[in-house]
Amino acid sequence: MIGAQPASAAAAAQPASAAAIEAREELVSADAVRTLLHPHSIAVIGASRGKHTIGGDLFHNLLEGDFAGPVYPVNPTAPSVQGVRAYASILDIPDPVDLALIVVPAAAVATVARQCAQKGVKGVVVISAGFSEVGGAGIERQAELLAICRESGMRLVGPNCMGLANTAAEVRMNGQFAPIAPLPGRVAFLSQSGALGLALLDHANRLGLGLSTFVSVGNKADLSGNAFLSYWEKDEATDVILLYLESLGNPRRFARIARRVGHSKPIVAVKAGRSSAGARATSSHTGALLGASDVTVDALFRQAGVIRTDTLAELFDVASLLANQPMPTGSRVAILTNGGGPGILAADACESAGLEVPPFAESVRTSLATWLPSAAGIGNPVDMIASATADDYRRAIETIGADPGIDALIVIFAPPLVTRPDDVARAIGAAAAALARPIPITAVFMAAGGPPAELRSEEIHIPAYTYPEHAAHALGRAVGYARWRARPEGVVPELAGIRSEEADAAVAAMLVAGPSRWLDPEEVATLLRCYDLPLVAQVTSRTPEEAAEAAGWLEGPVVLKGIAPGVIHKSDVHGVRLGLAGPAEVEGAAREMTAAFAATGHEIEGFLVQQMVPAGVEMLVGVVHDRLFGPVVACAAGGTEAELLKDVSVRITPLTDIDVAEMVRSLKTYPLLDGYRGAPKADVAALEEVLLRVSAMVEAHPEVAEMDLNPVIVLPDGAVIVDARMRIEAP
């Protein structure tokens, strides 16, 4: 039924020309970013004599950082700024200008931008606020600014941003207004928030986390995070990418770019606004399951390999590890400590982070026992007790690091009375450098003074944390990313039996009856059959007599369901009767159901008579079409308890074979499909094919706004959809 094709064929859901245009746009945007981050000359429009204004601090930072090219201050009221000749207008500067940093009132920005265009400036960074973030006239000002840039071919960062920096020795551009210069390094950092930028730079410096480039994108009127990702993908000075995001303008494009970049460079992100997705439709089981949090963002990041952290502190924890240590090759962690309590905390944290703390090889235990005191614990964690010296740390790291059954090491130091933290730090660095097999090592210094500076040198940099939990969680994120990068990319299969043109015609006809509505059972069945989805044998009837007649056409016991407008969950109003045998029993049940519905204020429009399906594992497959993310597919434990259990896995379409396999196996209730307590194993492959066919349907037909297949009964041989609801909406 399924034939595999390369994962790159996922893009074939778009016309080939659209994919080519997108690729060309990425290339052009990356080139624009390169020009902005490697300018030969800079003008600061709004440069001020005072160093405690934005324009003054920005100009001062460029001079203090020793920018490799000329910096021209533009100020119509001052002959010089901070000892440098000033110009009344950028048009008065006699030499070419590559980049203009604009710090003038919002109302004057358009005029200045036109002058930049006339000058032939290649890019502008608008620091000024007062644009779309304030609404009203600000939206109009931003639209005018963008139009000026597009007409002239200038590229724009901002407005309402903090600026940008490039620490490369041949550039040395500190083009932002914080009184902090980023340390040089190999981590790229993009922040959507200018207000947070200063704190982020300060924290990176305190951790000794060096940056290759720093960008504050503000309102993202032109160049967005997608453009910078495309640039950093090829940037030889960048090894790790950090993102602070408040919105995703084009999530599907972000996912495509991030997935590609992530296979060579880790992307670590904090996405603010976790509760904003609560406005999603909740008129279906799927809508209810997805409406409580930003599970769509989680799904997108998971598929694209983006490491999502919950806090900015954790962002830096993970970045310090990835930027300074080798990638973990597995999840087995050794813990070395001089106190039992911290070791136990670390072991618990490792377990919660999805890591293992396995026993050591016997040779390692024997070696440790030869020189550690008898009171020491030589299991994993290793508790060297409070008398442990710096040399004990060195010998233990070298011994444990030689165990091929260990993939990473957490070294904990709780300050005793004698041993000095700086001596231990030097010992950790020396032992790490001497290991024949490089493994990631993290240090935890539970001391008032924080981690010693000796953990950082030109030769080796050991990431240090204040508490064991922080080290464990950072390792857990790194291990998860390493697994994602090592897994196959997956394929979007070609599925047999799909009649997409017939489905197109059916959807068009259905929309004639209304731009947004729930389909009746016959319409739902038509679309499911176009995608060869395994719908149970069923007949729609208008009256109890017709329902009885339909029961005679179906083999064996049947199920009777009432159809009434406004009834979402039929079982809540006694609208489902199971195991009915024969026409007479069906007719009687239909009359009772009519009376039951009337008692709750609902009028039955008809009945659905279905062939009774044998007992199996009840699952839910659903879709919600997100305004930004497109179709979001959910797989969950099904039946009437779906919303109670909330055991759900979510992905963004198009789904690959790897996606559907992970979706199903990540559920807490997966053991029910895998023969729990001796039950026959369910046909998981059949459930996965349902997910793939649903993905193909909603990718091809964005009119499908909401869909519940609940339950999908998964049998030992096959899967059957026994209840389906679908809402369409003109896109």
Side-chain angles (χ1 to χ4, degrees), residues 2 4-5 33 79 101 117 190 209 295 308 361 391 394 426 484 515 593 603 608 622 632:
I2 302 174
Q5 64 182 17
V33 169
L101 307 179
L190 179 144
L209 187 66
V295 290
R308 185 176 192 180
D391 192 57
R394 181 188 59 77
R426 277 189 289 269
W484 175 86
M593 196 175 289
E603 182 178 352
L608 199 60
V632 183

Side-chain angles (χ1 to χ4, degrees), residues 13-37:
Q14 316 172 60
S17 58
I21 290 171
E22 182 174 312
R24 187 161 59 249
E25 286 177 354
E26 282 186 36
L27 183 61
V28 169
S29 294
D31 286 341
V33 169
R34 187 173 294 104
T35 299
L36 289 168
L37 289 174

Side-chain angles (χ1 to χ4, degrees), residues 268-301:
V268 192
V270 167
K271 166 65 174 64
R274 278 188 174 270
S275 62
S276 62
R280 189 178 291 114
T282 56
S283 52
S284 63
H285 285 295
T286 306
L289 287 169
L290 304 189
S293 68
D294 61 345
V295 290
T296 49
V297 176
D298 278 336
L300 182 142
F301 282 3

Side-chain angles (χ1 to χ4, degrees), residues 118 123 127 185 187 194 218 254 338 344 414 424-425 433 597 603 614 622 719:
Q118 185 179 345
I127 309 293
V187 176
F254 172 87
N338 64 346
I344 295 171
V424 172
F597 270 56
E603 182 178 352

